[in-house]
Amino acid sequence: MKTRKRLIPHPVLSLLMLLAWLLLNSFSMGHLVLGSLLALAIPYLIQDFWPNAVKVHKPLQLVWYILKVLGDIMIANFIVAKQILGPSSRLNAVFFEIPLEVKNDFTISVLAGTISLTPGTVSADLSKDRKRLIVHGLNVTDIEGEIAKIKQRYEAPLKEIFECCPT
Amino acid sequence: MPFWIEVIVSLFLLLGAFFALVGSIGLAKLPDFFRRLHGPTKATTLGVGGMILGSMLYFTFLNNELQFQELLITLFLFITAPASAHIVAKAALHLKIQHKAKHTETQDDANAGKKKAKAKAIEKPESNAESAE
């Protein structure tokens, strides 16, 4: 599948790269120009390796999602800290599988990353057919509830943000 | 620098240090490999986060200009930490490192037999699991 080369294949990525460049260096006109050049040139040069551009359908919801995850990380950190400091024999560690609805590689990575970042759960493996994510929970008693929570709280918004609306 | 800024900065640093400590305790104390993974990947998010917030505040008031560079650390950490945790966990699963977690089979799959074998590892003595790591 040969597609025509686009000038700016990943606009969001370019913006992020420019921002990262400016944060790494002190802000000045020279760095703005150099950063912009790099942010435009690098995605252009690597687009053959990454043909499917990530489309953010709902940027506002993405911001809301990030804030929500940060809040969850805070709360869950305290819970897990308590579990770690408490007697470890009381922890009910389980493996469970989450049936995935999202199909896009990038969306799956973001979901797996979110699951790993929120304390108490680590994503461990993806089934070969990319339909189930194996997750290790530190202390999960209600597996069905946990799966439902992850699906509703993280997967559903991600699906809306990165994949097209359900037909 | 006003006193109350110093207090807030110290609070953030203490919070960060506390969670880094809890993460390390978790790494040392938890009984099996997969549970140990939770320590460093979790508590370091808020541990590093707290220290970064403290650093941002401190340098913002020290130099009288907004300091955002530390946010990049958070960004890179949030991208790399789950990826490395995932790879480590995946490698452990494939190497069949013994663990005490129950596996719930929601669907039959080709791996089912393999996972049952893992569940049997529960009966094995603790020292065995230790040496496997």
Side-chain angles (χ1 to χ4, degrees), chain B:
Chain B
M1 197 180 317
F3 178 69
W4 61 274
I5 292 290
E6 286 181 11
V7 171
I8 295 176
V9 169
S10 341
L11 279 179
F12 273 126
L13 287 182
L14 281 175
L15 185 82
F18 171 73
F19 278 103
L21 178 69
V22 170
S24 317
I25 291 175
L27 183 66
K29 179 190 161 209
L30 292 176
D32 70 354
F33 176 81
F34 288 96
R35 268 180 267 188
R36 282 184 177 165
L37 255 187
H38 289 278
T41 56
K42 306 314 174 188
T44 46
T45 48
L46 202 54
V48 175
M51 289 182 204
I52 282 169
L53 278 176
S55 162
M56 272 168 70
L57 263 179
Y58 179 79
F59 283 104
T60 298
F61 279 88
L62 193 73
N63 303 335
N64 270 326
E65 57 181 42
L66 275 176
Q67 191 88 15
F68 287 119
Q69 277 173 357
E70 284 90 342
L71 281 180
L72 280 178
I73 304 176
T74 327
L75 180 71
F76 293 144
L77 200 72
F78 274 30
I79 296 171
T80 54
S84 51
H86 183 89
I87 295 295
V88 170
K90 187 169 177 164
L93 269 182
H94 285 245
L95 287 171
K96 299 181 189 169
I97 286 188
Q98 285 137 3
H99 60 79
K100 290 171 182 164
K102 286 161 272 178
H103 184 269
T104 53
E105 277 155 52
T106 45
Q107 285 171 42
D108 289 340
D109 61 312
N111 289 337
K114 209 164 76 185
K115 275 158 200 157
K116 266 180 205 136
K118 262 182 231 148
K120 273 182 198 149
I122 297 170
E123 281 103 42
K124 298 228 170 133
E126 180 86 25
S127 57
N128 212 345
E130 295 286 326
S131 60
E133 283 158 35

Side-chain angles (χ1 to χ4, degrees), chain A residues 22-54:
Chain A
L22 288 178
L23 283 172
L24 278 171
N25 305 285
S26 54
F27 181 83
S28 71
M29 221 47 213
H31 275 307
L32 186 67
V33 173
L34 185 58
S36 311
L37 278 179
L38 287 174
L40 290 176
I42 294 172
Y44 178 76
L45 291 173
I46 63 163
Q47 64 176 316
D48 284 343
F49 300 105
W50 195 10
N52 301 322
V54 175

